[in-house]
Amino acid sequence: MQQIGKNQLSILIIVFLIGSTPLFELGIKAKHDAWLAMILAAAAGLLLTVMYVHLQRRAPEAELAELYKMHFGRWIGGGIGLLYAVWFAYESMRNVRDVGELTMMALLTLTPKWIVMLLIISAAAYTVSKGLEVFVRVVQLLFPIVAASYFFIILLLFIARLPDPQHLLPILENGLAPVVKAAFPDLLSFPFGQMVIFLVFWKHVSEKKIIGRASYWSMIGVSAFLVFMNMLVMCVLGPELSAITALPLLEVVQLIRLANFLERLDVVVTLLLFIGLYVKMTALYMASVFTLNSVTGIAYRYCVMPIGAVIYASSFLEPNNTYHIWIGLDITLKIVPLFQVVLPFLMLVVGVRKRYKTN
Amino acid sequence: MNKWKLLLPLFVCMLAVGCWNRVELNEIGIVSATGVDWKDGNWVLSYQVVIPQAISGMSGVGGGSAASVNVFSTKAEGFRAAISKASQETSRRLYFSHNQIVIVGQEAARKGMAPLFETYLRNHDARETVSVFLSKGSARHMLEQLIPLEKIPGAAIQRMITNEEINSSTYRQMTIHQVLLDLMGATKATGIPGLVVSGSRESMNRADKLSQTNTPSKVRLFDLGLISEDKLVGWISGEESQGVMWLKNHVKRAVIPFACTEEAKGQKSSSIRIIHAETKLRPEPSGGKWIMHVDAKAVGTLMEYNCGGDLSKPAQVEKAEKFIEAEITSIMQKGWKAVRKYRTDVVGFGNVIHKKYPKQWAEAKDNWTELFPQTTLKITVRVKLNSAGMSGSGFKSEQEKRRS
Amino acid sequence: MNKKNAGPLTPLSPSLHANAEAIRNRFGGSCDIVVRFFRSDAAPDRELAIIYVSGIVDAETINESVMEPLMSLKLPQHAYVKGGKLLEALRNCVVSIGSIKDVSTLEEALQCLTDGLCVIMADGSPAALIAEVCGGEQRGVTIPQTQTVIRGPQHGFVENIRVNISLIRRIIRSSDLHIQMHKIGRQTHSNVAVLYLHGTADESIVKEVYRRLAAIDIDGVLETGYIEEFIQDETFTLFPTLLNSERPDTVAAALLEGRVAIMVDGTPLVLMAPTTFFTFFQSPEDYYQRFDIASFVRIIRYAAYVVAMLLPALYIAVTTYHQEMLPTTLLISLAAQREGIPFPGLIEALLMEMTFEVLREAGLRMPRAIGPAISIVGALVLGQSAVQAGIVSAGMVIIVSFTAISNFVMPEFNMAATSRIIRFVYMLMAGVFGFFGIFISVLFTLIHLTSLRSFGVPYMSPLAPGPTKQGIWRDVFIRLPWWAIVLRPLDLSLRNPKRRPNGRKPPAQRHSDKP
């Protein structure tokens, strides 16, 4: 039985939620009020997390699929579990594709995507085959790099006096409506609603009691950080520029020029991007393997390679970047609330009627 | 070992297909400056390419053995198309990531700079930290000029504007990013410093001309070009530009000559060095039009004072401060008049109103070009002399005191 | 230990000459077997013999403590000693040697002979007396050759395991220091000692060491390297999972930290387990110097390791893929250097790195006397001339040299060796994918590192997984003053995790400046 500790859980939540999020100016539909939309979505995400933790407490030793089986019976629950496995694999595939697209856009413009994606998916598959413990340790090793890089970037931005708080004004220019529209469901689904994945991992936490506290606090911390990064990008680029650039953080970092030598730091951002995407992709991949394993009973190690192959193969289905982003932002975000909100909520209701106790 | 079996084919195909993006250092032509001109329905792009051997000093390059840059142009109907044509006349791939400045010729600027911005936003190797200049003549002519003391003219012009921005604040360094911020903001207007070749008509395009102690002509900053939407609408002089800088709160340090009257008239024989300045704009709606309260504060040190009076007395210092305040007010007024003439809101009044009165702005923004010149300016300036320099009353007054 | 090659045992025969003949025959009449028959007054009617292998025994001890008492003995009461009691009487009253025992089979006698003991036999007794007279020529205790310190003890292990054990005993004077001896090797019958501090070392790890040692079946063990490859957790890794040292103080420190030490006769290098990644960055001198400088040097070491692994790869990536990262002036001077260089950056780097590796191997293997010649060839011919001839760029020479020097900073040679190999993988990946390649290969390295274990201890602890107890960090990346290091560094459920009580250092007597 693989076990992860309290700090490891917090770090996993932090790095998973950060992922690649700060690279994009999320909620830009609300223009300079994007950060308000972030806060709204984060608060809603926290509520969702409370619900997930509550569900987990009903059966601390069960993971996602087992919870569904417990609530809806073997067949329906198993079916839902399979759906989740597919969804996790799909989300993982999106991250693989993101790596391919972003590398093409920002780093290696001529290198074919297939090899880049093959490399990153093999890193993920290697991690998944080693198991959760190794994955969490890798995240632990990457965490200081991520933290230091963000700190460094933020510090340099302030030294270069790039952020201008004026860009955040006027607050709520068009009222609350656009902010709410930006927050729901898009911002809630990505990144905050993705906390649902931890229903798979919480089972492996050695101290079950601290799950709630550790998860809430790390989530609050991450949300604060994400909101801050969102504001920072807005302060540097202004609403109009942030809306039209594909990778706002990359744009922001390109603007840093200090002492004629601290410039062109985009590679730090690209590195952060890869780390974030890798962590997200691997976590989702692993969740998919775990879920498939607990639904079908096929041994963990036999699930790794097939799912990896499926993820890799399906990442070629979308013909180009525009398509990829369109599917991701317009279609996926409309479907995922099913997994993040509707199904867990149903489970909550069923559980209340069945009078499951939480310990 | 299973995983090794899996890794092996990966490794093999990796090496077999490898090195797509690889470019060796001796396969790139490092572009240090780019020029944009518009001629006969075509974009003419000029590149200043650095010749590394001539610069790195391995072969003891002295005053004028070889030029350190090479300039050439390509033309086409599209921007990137012109750049891609460069491969027909140079052996190396042009490398733009180290480009320091972009000079836009007057014709091109009047035609519209949208394709330039489009290129910068869409391409990864084009960086928004590049400084933009307008050129009164053709941009290519600017690129051809060698600059004394410096090896790479592009970098030299870039340093020239930095120096100017920090020490006298008449012009401001406008990077593509700042230009974009301004043009995409509420007012859609900005000012870009211009370049001219001053002095005789002789072009400084030969390295051996640098072997003299004086150069017949040189590149210098001259006038501020006003851009509205994406087109050049007019030029304002350096003095007016300084007024704009004051209004926009871009003054960092400056030396301001002033006269000994409170009306800012007469011979400006004294001067002050401003070491800190801050301008605040406060809009106020008044019957469909706007009043702009301009509140400027400046701290400075006296550098030269020929107005008589004993500066060791506080009253006299206050008097001097009044003179300076008057002078700064008059500078701002000049700038404002110039800008008003062109109906281009480079001072960013629109932005301020947008932040403060979003609702009223929504109504005003459509005919802002009409409303903007009708804005009333209420300028208050407060100057603080934190030091009168190292002498008290001054040479002349001391002399007179002795005489009496 | 070697149950597997224990064939049928031959009992000694009562006839002295038959026994002596049997021993001679077993050794195939080797010339270094000395068999000396003599008679003693202790038992004048019976012939005695002393057998030993010359060269591995101390001839002086044999003469003084065995032969002389036996031959000069004139005490009448011993004349009564008859039959089987003779050897017992000799052992009890005559032979003045500390360690002595009886054996009754030929195989045991043979084993003792090859261990450097002497066999005393008497006609009529089917047994033999074994006296320990080990000796012979060997190297004295000298300054360690491979791990030098400025401040700290200056003696190192030698090839003799008994001397080595004594060196540890002299440092840790406690009955808790337990030492178990094993014999490994069908032919070499090498002595392998397991040392641990009872009550401090994790018992399960000690048991695991025994278990893994017992499973070794090989004809000979010449060095701890043999043992290491048998008992390490993961074979297919570039990273060493066992520490070795030839310094008694290092081994003693490891024992105090709760590790288990494994010594092999015939080599001055001692293995220590379990070992984590960070142990390899700790030099014994860190603990003898002031803590501030020790911490500084330790950070330098980590940085140097990263440099040694990544610098050439980064250089390749930056100069062939990401030129925009360089400051303009640097880019221009590098570009000027590269004009006319015939090879692409990757090939140039591989060429120079290979050259350096060859130079280094040559430097290790060549006779001492021609050492300076190598440095002249290396520095002048390959460095300066290659640049002047325009075959490699000056920047590349700087990079390769700095990488090489960084590699020498590592206190543990086997960890430094790791970076020598991984570097090439990184360089290839950087040459093909630029930074992305470096990222992927570093990621693979990290995943691999975190999956490693050394005797059950995660290799990257206490960084990943994080420390289970507060305060373990005080001796990982930096070293705090000794009084602050309360816990033993291994993050195990040790029975005795604290090395000192909590609290600050004992306060010094304050001397007031006031009169």
Side-chain angles (χ1 to χ4, degrees):
Chain A
M1 179 70 186
Q2 308 189 55
Q3 297 240 305
I4 57 177
K6 174 187 161 194
N7 290 342
Q8 290 181 315
L9 176 68
S10 305
I11 288 175
L12 186 60
I13 292 179
I14 291 170
V15 181
F16 176 78
L17 279 186
I18 290 180
S20 53
T21 318
L23 298 165
F24 309 104
E25 187 70 358
L26 294 173
I28 191 65
K29 282 186 205 159
K31 286 192 176 161
H32 43 254
D33 292 325
W35 61 282
L36 284 172
M38 276 298 253
I39 292 180
L40 260 182
L46 195 63
L47 273 180
L48 278 184
T49 312
V50 172
M51 178 167 84
Y52 301 149
V53 171
H54 185 79
L55 288 171
Q56 174 72 19
R57 286 209 182 127
R58 288 181 182 162
E61 291 302 328
E63 63 180 49
L64 186 69
E66 287 156 359
L67 277 171
Y68 276 109
K69 279 190 200 166
M70 185 176 108
H71 285 84
F72 297 115
R74 204 166 141 219
W75 293 106
I76 301 177
I80 296 175
L82 271 182
L83 274 181
Y84 268 95
V86 172
W87 176 56
F88 287 147
Y90 167 75
E91 290 279 335
S92 177
M93 171 288 255
R94 290 203 62 78
N95 283 293
V96 175
R97 178 72 184 218
D98 274 343
V99 170
E101 293 296 338
L102 298 173
T103 316
M104 287 238 346
M105 215 191 300
L107 212 54
L108 304 167
T109 41
L110 302 174
T111 310
K113 253 184 296 216
W114 65 266
I115 184 98
V116 170
M117 297 199 298
L118 185 61
L119 282 174
I120 196 89
I121 190 79
S122 41
Y126 185 39
T127 322
V128 174
S129 69
K130 292 277 180 188
L132 180 62
E133 269 185 7
V134 166
F135 172 53
V136 176
R137 281 183 210 156
V138 173
V139 176
Q140 246 178 331
L141 284 182
L142 294 176
F143 178 66
I145 303 175
V146 173
S149 308
Y150 276 117
F151 177 76
F152 186 62
I153 288 176
I154 294 169
L155 189 77
L156 286 182
L157 280 177
F158 278 100
I159 293 178
R161 304 221 185 127
L162 283 169
D164 176 11
Q166 288 286 317
H167 285 304
L168 293 178
L169 295 173
I171 294 171
L172 289 179
E173 186 182 7
N174 300 318
L176 207 60
V179 175
V180 176
K181 243 186 216 164
F184 305 109
D186 299 13
L187 261 179
L188 179 62
S189 319
F190 177 85
F192 300 106
Q194 290 186 327
M195 278 298 284
V196 73
I197 194 184
F198 282 91
L199 277 173
V200 180
F201 297 132
W202 274 327
K203 172 190 173 181
H204 300 276
V205 177
S206 52
E207 291 173 75
K208 296 285 187 297
K209 274 189 187 156
I210 51 85
I211 287 178
R213 212 166 25 146
S215 305
Y216 302 148
W217 280 114
S218 22
M219 196 170 161
I220 291 171
V222 167
S223 308
F225 172 74
L226 291 178
V227 171
F228 174 74
M229 285 307 288
N230 192 296
M231 290 166 81
L232 198 64
V233 169
M234 183 61 71
C235 287
V236 177
L237 289 185
E240 292 83 11
L241 267 183
S242 356
I244 58 169
T245 39
L247 292 173
L249 189 63
L250 199 69
E251 198 72 40
V252 165
V253 172
Q254 284 188 354
L255 295 175
I256 297 177
R257 286 186 81 158
L258 280 175
N260 265 328
F261 115 97
L262 279 175
E263 49 184 314
R264 295 177 268 259
L265 296 163
D266 356 358
V267 89
V268 182
V269 175
T270 330
L271 182 82
L272 280 172
L273 174 130
F274 285 134
I275 292 179
L277 286 174
Y278 159 77
V279 170
K280 221 157 200 176
M281 164 196 324
T282 312
L284 288 160
Y285 181 175
M286 190 174 274
S288 174
V289 174
F290 268 122
T291 314
L292 190 66
N293 167 38
S294 76
V295 172
T296 61
I298 303 171
Y300 181 86
R301 63 178 186 284
Y302 293 126
C303 296
V304 176
M305 278 302 149
I307 290 189
V310 167
I311 292 176
Y312 180 60
S314 59
S315 61
F316 290 100
L317 290 178
E318 299 153 328
N320 59 32
N321 187 27
T322 315
Y323 228 83
H324 172 68
I325 287 177
W326 177 69
I327 290 183
L329 294 183
D330 284 357
I331 298 182
T332 313
L333 289 182
K334 306 294 179 269
I335 298 172
V336 287
L338 173 72
F339 296 103
Q340 291 171 348
V341 187
V342 180
L343 287 173
F345 189 72
L346 271 180
M347 184 151 63
L348 186 77
V349 175
V350 170
V352 170
R353 290 205 52 189
K354 285 193 179 179
R355 292 169 205 279
Y356 283 124
K357 289 213 174 94
T358 60
N359 7 351
Chain B
M1 291 306 287
N2 241 338
K3 65 183 177 220
W4 299 116
K5 277 187 208 154
L6 283 169
L7 282 177
L8 194 69
L10 178 66
F11 201 69
V12 169
C13 55
M14 197 185 82
L15 290 180
V17 291
C19 318
W20 297 269
N21 275 80
R22 192 174 58 82
V23 183
E24 296 294 340
L25 284 179
N26 43 7
E27 291 165 2
I28 56 174
I30 304 163
V31 177
S32 62
T34 317
V36 181
D37 286 309
W38 173 259
K39 207 181 257 171
D40 312 330
N42 277 321
W43 289 105
V44 181
L45 267 75
S46 312
Y47 320 96
Q48 191 182 64
V49 180
V50 176
I51 303 166
Q53 296 100 311
I55 288 172
S56 75
M58 299 277 266
S59 50
V61 177
S65 60
S68 52
V69 291
N70 178 27
V71 179
F72 68 98
S73 308
T74 55
K75 73 179 179 184
E77 287 176 7
F79 229 76
R80 275 275 151 173
I83 293 176
S84 67
K85 273 196 183 168
S87 57
Q88 292 165 2
E89 43 189 288
T90 177
S91 57
R92 301 198 172 183
R93 210 183 92 180
L94 290 184
Y95 192 72
F96 286 95
S97 287
H98 284 265
N99 191 9
Q100 309 271 343
I101 58 168
V102 174
I103 301 173
V104 183
Q106 196 161 215
E107 292 304 308
R110 288 199 195 277
K111 164 83 175 53
M113 303 200 288
L116 174 71
F117 301 137
E118 170 65 19
T119 308
Y120 269 88
L121 284 170
R122 198 166 295 287
N123 288 288
H124 176 64
D125 62 345
R127 280 154 193 280
E128 279 88 345
T129 46
V130 172
S131 304
V132 194
F133 295 92
L134 296 176
S135 158
K136 289 237 168 165
S138 85
R140 180 180 167 128
H141 185 59
M142 292 295 152
L143 296 187
E144 284 167 355
Q145 307 302 310
L146 289 172
I147 290 176
L149 301 179
E150 300 283 349
K151 288 267 164 76
I152 309 172
I157 293 174
Q158 206 268 329
R159 254 175 276 172
M160 194 192 286
I161 186 79
T162 315
N163 186 26
E164 160 67 27
E165 180 182 39
I166 292 173
N167 291 323
S168 62
S169 300
T170 306
Y171 301 102
R172 180 165 174 250
Q173 174 164 336
M174 290 304 286
T175 59
I176 291 265
H177 172 240
Q178 270 145 352
V179 172
L180 283 171
L181 271 187
D182 282 350
L183 291 185
M184 300 185 75
T187 57
K188 300 189 174 49
T190 191
I192 299 177
L195 288 173
V196 289
V197 180
S198 68
S200 70
R201 291 314 233 149
E202 200 177 343
S203 184
M204 281 294 296
N205 57 0
R206 288 166 57 91
D208 53 358
K209 288 184 184 161
L210 284 178
S211 57
Q212 302 161 4
T213 56
N214 65 338
T215 53
S217 65
K218 61 174 71 156
V219 174
R220 56 161 299 168
L221 293 163
F222 190 76
D223 287 1
L224 185 77
L226 301 183
I227 311 283
S228 175
E229 304 287 336
D230 69 329
K231 293 183 179 65
L232 176 70
V233 291
W235 295 90
I236 60 174
S237 72
E239 212 177 341
E240 291 158 346
S241 168
Q242 200 173 22
V244 173
M245 291 301 139
W246 272 103
L247 286 171
K248 279 192 91 172
N249 189 19
H250 283 316
V251 176
K252 286 176 181 162
R253 248 177 288 168
V255 174
I256 294 181
F258 60 93
C260 301
T261 56
E262 291 190 18
E263 290 78 42
K265 289 196 183 84
Q267 201 193 353
K268 291 171 184 167
S269 57
S270 313
S271 49
I272 177 178
R273 166 180 281 156
I274 302 290
I275 53 174
H276 176 81
E278 198 185 356
T279 314
K280 281 194 181 132
L281 298 177
R282 191 166 53 80
E284 188 189 311
S286 81
K289 289 177 192 154
W290 293 87
I291 298 172
M292 190 61 75
H293 297 272
V294 181
D295 202 356
K297 282 194 188 113
V299 181
T301 312
L302 217 48
M303 291 175 79
E304 188 180 4
Y305 191 68
N306 292 321
C307 294
D310 188 358
L311 276 178
S312 52
K313 302 260 162 37
Q316 189 61 37
V317 172
E318 265 171 42
K319 212 168 150 193
E321 285 174 356
K322 285 269 162 0
F323 299 159
I324 303 162
E325 282 162 12
E327 179 60 35
I328 292 176
T329 313
S330 110
I331 291 174
M332 285 202 244
Q333 289 290 6
K334 270 183 207 152
W336 168 236
K337 268 180 207 150
V339 169
R340 194 159 67 169
K341 200 172 75 190
Y342 289 105
R343 300 184 167 199
T344 314
D345 186 4
V346 290
V347 283
F349 287 174
N351 282 327
V352 184
I353 296 170
H354 177 215
K355 310 276 178 217
K356 192 104 188 250
Y357 299 100
K359 291 217 179 72
Q360 286 91 324
W361 172 248
E363 295 160 16
K365 74 178 171 190
D366 292 329
N367 53 348
W368 180 239
T369 39
E370 304 302 317
L371 280 174
F372 169 66
Q374 297 171 26
T375 310
T376 321
L377 233 60
K378 289 197 171 159
I379 302 174
T380 46
V381 182
R382 180 78 196 95
V383 171
K384 211 175 126 235
L385 272 178
N386 65 351
S387 156
M390 308 244 270
S391 74
S393 52
F395 171 74
K396 196 93 188 190
S397 55
E398 202 61 25
Q399 218 172 26
E400 275 160 18
K401 236 186 258 174
R402 284 286 163 84
R403 204 173 290 158
S404 59
Chain C
M1 277 313 294
N2 295 318
K3 292 154 210 120
K4 290 157 215 117
N5 62 355
L9 293 172
T10 329
L12 287 169
S13 98
S15 158
L16 176 63
H17 282 274
N19 283 337
E21 207 48 40
I23 289 175
R24 268 204 184 130
N25 282 340
R26 280 294 188 95
F27 277 108
S30 299
C31 58
D32 57 345
I33 307 297
V34 178
V35 182
R36 189 189 188 293
F37 297 101
F38 61 98
R39 283 176 188 280
S40 163
D41 283 343
D45 55 330
R46 294 166 69 177
E47 204 173 9
L48 295 170
I50 178 163
I51 309 171
Y52 58 86
V53 181
S54 71
I56 63 169
V57 296
D58 189 6
E60 210 166 303
T61 319
I62 291 190
N63 288 340
E64 282 177 11
S65 310
V66 184
M67 298 295 280
E68 203 178 309
L70 279 169
M71 294 179 80
S72 62
L73 198 76
K74 287 214 165 58
L75 292 174
Q77 63 263 39
H78 292 294
Y80 303 111
V81 178
K82 300 273 183 206
K85 296 274 185 200
L86 173 62
L87 285 177
E88 197 185 324
L90 287 180
R91 182 178 69 206
N92 291 346
C93 314
V94 184
V95 179
S96 52
I97 295 259
S99 168
I100 197 158
K101 64 178 178 182
D102 291 317
V103 296
S104 58
T105 62
L106 185 61
E107 280 72 22
E108 280 178 280
L110 288 172
Q111 182 62 57
C112 294
L113 279 174
T114 51
D115 280 350
L117 281 63
C118 78
V119 175
I120 304 160
M121 289 192 288
D123 198 21
S125 313
L129 201 60
I130 306 291
E132 192 178 311
V133 287
C134 297
E137 289 305 313
Q138 62 175 52
R139 193 163 66 94
V141 173
T142 51
I143 299 174
Q145 295 294 313
T146 57
Q147 292 156 317
T148 48
V149 297
I150 293 165
R151 182 173 175 180
Q154 300 290 346
H155 59 300
F157 287 124
V158 292
E159 281 74 13
N160 187 323
I161 195 169
R162 303 214 164 260
V163 176
N164 291 350
I165 290 174
S166 74
L167 287 172
I168 298 294
R169 269 282 180 220
R170 272 181 221 173
I171 299 175
I172 304 178
R173 303 168 193 213
S174 158
S175 57
D176 282 340
L177 176 62
H178 291 195
I179 301 167
Q180 302 287 327
M181 194 73 100
H182 302 270
K183 283 213 185 291
I184 296 178
R186 287 166 184 246
Q187 302 293 336
T188 59
H189 298 289
S190 309
N191 286 318
V192 174
V194 175
L195 294 82
Y196 64 95
L197 215 52
H198 179 73
T200 301
D202 191 329
E203 291 295 330
S204 62
I205 288 178
V206 177
K207 281 209 188 83
E208 182 63 22
V209 171
Y210 286 154
R211 205 183 57 73
R212 291 188 192 178
L213 284 179
I216 299 175
D217 186 8
I218 189 176
D219 58 348
V221 174
L222 303 185
E223 218 277 335
T224 37
Y226 288 51
I227 306 272
E228 181 174 347
E229 295 205 343
F230 272 106
I231 67 174
Q232 64 193 0
D233 293 53
E234 174 89 51
T235 303
F236 296 100
T237 174
L238 292 170
F239 293 90
T241 48
L242 289 169
L243 189 67
N244 65 54
S245 173
E246 62 161 334
R247 297 182 56 84
D249 52 332
T250 309
V251 175
L255 291 172
L256 287 173
E257 286 166 359
R259 296 181 214 271
V260 179
I262 300 160
M263 284 181 181
V264 173
D265 203 3
T267 175
L269 289 163
V270 176
L271 287 182
M272 283 157 279
T275 311
T276 62
F277 182 72
F278 303 102
T279 325
F280 291 94
F281 294 85
Q282 298 165 356
S283 156
E285 204 169 0
D286 287 359
Y287 300 97
Y288 308 146
Q289 275 173 337
R290 289 180 47 79
F291 75 94
D292 40 13
I293 187 72
S295 303
F296 173 68
V297 171
R298 201 177 268 183
I299 291 167
I300 295 265
R301 245 178 246 143
Y302 284 108
Y305 190 62
V306 174
V307 165
M309 292 232 268
L310 283 174
L311 188 64
L314 286 174
Y315 183 77
I316 292 172
V318 167
T319 54
T320 56
Y321 285 89
H322 312 286
Q323 290 94 349
E324 73 272 11
M325 285 192 65
L326 293 166
T328 311
T329 32
L330 181 59
L331 175 72
I332 288 169
S333 79
L334 285 180
Q337 285 172 19
R338 267 206 68 88
E339 290 299 332
I341 304 288
F343 306 112
L346 174 64
I347 304 295
E348 193 188 351
L350 286 176
L351 212 66
M352 285 307 287
E353 285 289 344
M354 286 311 290
T355 313
F356 168 71
E357 290 297 330
V358 170
L359 268 179
R360 170 187 177 125
E361 194 58 20
L364 276 177
R365 305 284 161 236
M366 76 198 163
R368 292 268 149 83
I370 54 172
I374 290 282
S375 31
I376 290 167
V377 171
L380 288 181
V381 178
L382 291 172
Q384 204 174 345
S385 330
V387 173
Q388 277 173 359
I391 293 172
V392 293
S393 61
M396 186 60 81
V397 174
I398 296 172
I399 294 290
V400 171
S401 335
F402 187 60
T403 311
I405 292 168
S406 300
N407 207 6
F408 292 126
V409 171
M410 294 296 297
E412 298 298 331
F413 177 75
N414 44 3
M415 188 51 106
T418 308
S419 67
R420 284 165 62 189
I421 301 176
I422 291 190
R423 190 188 300 155
F424 285 99
V425 180
Y426 287 175
M427 276 159 61
L428 276 176
M429 288 295 277
V432 181
F433 295 108
F435 271 119
F436 180 74
I438 297 180
F439 167 75
I440 287 288
S441 33
V442 169
L443 190 62
F444 266 100
T445 313
L446 288 182
I447 301 169
H448 176 67
L449 275 173
T450 49
S451 68
L452 284 179
R453 281 170 180 273
S454 169
F455 283 85
V457 178
Y459 196 50
M460 293 305 278
S461 72
L463 184 62
T468 51
K469 287 168 289 217
Q470 287 286 312
I472 284 185
W473 284 94
R474 293 173 187 183
D475 184 23
V476 179
F477 293 107
I478 53 167
R479 181 182 79 78
L480 288 193
W482 263 114
W483 50 260
I485 304 176
V486 176
L487 295 170
R488 297 181 198 283
L490 282 177
D491 202 358
L492 288 170
S493 50
L494 295 173
R495 247 196 278 167
N496 181 9
K498 283 191 175 181
R499 60 196 317 168
R500 65 179 300 279
N502 283 322
R504 283 181 59 85
K505 72 184 170 93
Q509 177 84 49
R510 301 267 174 217
H511 294 286
S512 168
D513 284 337
K514 285 173 193 160

